[in-house]
Amino acid sequence: MGVQMEELTWATVIEANGMIVAEMLAERLKAANIPAQAIQESVGSTFAFTGGPLGTVYVRVPVQYLDEARELLDVEEPADEDDIVVCPECESDIELDDTEWEQGWFVCPVCNTRVSLDDLF
Ligand SMILES: [Zn+2]
């Protein structure tokens, strides 16, 4: 694939219960030319025991493919926790839209501070 993974910002399309389901969903996305990966959250280094093959697995795509991927997998646009960031100035929960993710910054509607997403992650 010609995509340079390291430079992409990945966003969660859907959480799957287990790696097999997640891989299947990721394959469906890849079949539609959407770069996708299935990522299992690991807790420290004890992931084999805390997560195991039945843990929650996140299917991720580059953020610019998010809408397309959701549509493809028929995922409803949620009040997605992944879209919510905490303003470092006033600690409000702010829900970002796609434009803000893509541009890499937002202006906090509560305290009017311009926040760079790079500072948050
Ligand atoms: Zn704020």
Side-chain angles (χ1 to χ4, degrees):
M1 241 188 295
V3 183
Q4 291 175 303
M5 299 286 179
E6 316 82 69
E7 292 179 14
L8 298 173
T9 305
W10 294 84
T12 301
V13 187
I14 192 169
E15 291 174 19
N17 200 7
M19 186 52 96
I20 294 166
V21 178
E23 294 274 17
M24 222 172 60
L25 295 170
E27 285 308 317
R28 264 174 68 187
L29 293 171
K30 286 180 201 166
N33 286 321
I34 299 173
Q37 54 183 202
I39 305 274
Q40 183 149 31
E41 279 295 90
S42 58
V43 181
S45 56
T46 56
F47 128 83
F49 297 102
T50 53
L54 298 176
T56 302
V57 184
Y58 300 89
V59 179
R60 289 182 179 166
V61 298
V63 75
Q64 61 266 38
Y65 288 94
L66 190 56
D67 285 340
E68 205 183 329
R70 278 190 179 139
E71 211 164 301
L72 194 90
L73 297 182
D74 217 14
V75 179
E76 283 177 34
E77 186 94 34
D80 195 334
E81 283 183 25
D82 284 352
D83 284 344
I84 295 177
V85 297
V86 177
C87 172
E89 283 299 309
C90 65
E91 299 190 350
S92 302
D93 288 345
I94 314 292
E95 187 175 355
L96 301 186
D97 61 32
D98 289 345
T99 313
E100 289 163 329
W101 284 113
E102 275 165 34
Q103 70 193 4
W105 59 270
F106 66 96
V107 175
C108 174
V110 180
C111 68
N112 253 337
T113 301
R114 183 182 150 142
V115 180
S116 166
L117 295 178
D118 289 338
D119 296 339
L120 296 177
F121 300 108

